[in-house]
Amino acid sequence: MNTDNKIKLYKVAFWLAVFTIVYNTVEGLVSTSLGYEDESLSLFGFGSDSFIEVISGIGIAHMVLRIQKNANSTRDSFERTALRITGVAFYSLVAGLTVTSIYNIWTGHKPETTLWGVVISIISIAVMWALVYAKEKVGRKLNSDAILADAGCTRVCIYMSVILLVASAIYELTGFPYIDSIGTLGIAYFAFKEGQECFEKAKSDKLCSSKGCC
């Protein structure tokens, strides 16, 4: 591949990272606002996770610029710091969501509606799926394990969106009182796994940890 094509592909990879940051910011604002208003913990937790993904996305954008200059370079202090901050944020989110979920189950708390959870999760699945496809396409063309690993991380967001969709849809259809909290615990599980990944990556230069994600 000639140099011009590589430059163009790295630009695409960078702007995909920027789009991920902007999208997660908007998604976080909308989801936390509607989740709070409708008393839907799963939607609020999903939105909180989106804000943490913004921090991660900044690290990814920095990574793309780094490997563009030197494909064989290793993680620098900025990326390691971003990973540690992201890891702490994920663990804090897990603690908050877990405690609140258990409390809601104990008290029998129910959201007013989870309709917005259905809508937002469907949009998120579509957007994240398109991002995974685009990142994998660029990663393969550049033969970049780093960009392909980032695509793998974006795929985790799809799993969280599916959990939100299932929990929100079940509540809307059945009114089952505990499903919103159960869905929240599912989101907390993936947030915990992502927190683990962040700390493992911060300690090494490996793109993938023993858990298999980037």
Side-chain angles (χ1 to χ4, degrees), residues 88-161:
V88 170
F90 273 128
Y91 281 161
S92 299
L93 176 64
V94 170
L97 293 182
T98 301
V99 170
T100 309
S101 294
I102 294 173
Y103 176 79
N104 284 354
I105 291 173
W106 178 264
T107 59
H109 174 79
K110 298 190 299 182
E112 293 184 11
T113 178
T114 55
L115 178 61
W116 282 113
V118 174
V119 174
I120 291 173
S121 60
I122 290 174
I123 294 172
S124 180
I125 289 170
V127 173
M128 291 299 114
W129 192 267
L131 276 173
V132 169
Y133 174 80
K135 289 178 180 181
E136 287 183 342
K137 184 176 180 180
V138 172
R140 290 193 194 99
K141 287 184 177 180
L142 287 170
N143 193 27
S144 171
D145 290 338
I147 295 174
L148 289 172
D150 174 41
C153 290
T154 303
R155 194 181 297 275
V156 176
C157 296
I158 298 177
Y159 303 153
M160 288 190 177
S161 299

Side-chain angles (χ1 to χ4, degrees), residues 52 54-88 144-147 149-150 197-207 214:
I52 301 174
V54 170
I55 305 172
S56 176
I58 292 171
I60 295 299
H62 176 81
M63 179 200 73
V64 172
L65 294 176
R66 170 176 59 78
I67 63 175
Q68 181 179 2
K69 296 177 181 177
N70 182 1
N72 297 317
S73 61
T74 57
R75 287 193 181 95
D76 57 22
S77 59
F78 179 90
E79 288 175 57
R80 294 183 194 277
T81 300
L83 285 167
R84 293 188 186 99
I85 293 172
T86 304
V88 170
S144 171
D145 290 338
I147 295 174
D150 174 41
E197 298 294 338
C198 288
F199 283 113
E200 289 184 11
K201 289 189 292 182
K203 293 177 181 178
S204 72
D205 290 317
K206 291 197 299 182
L207 297 171
C214 80

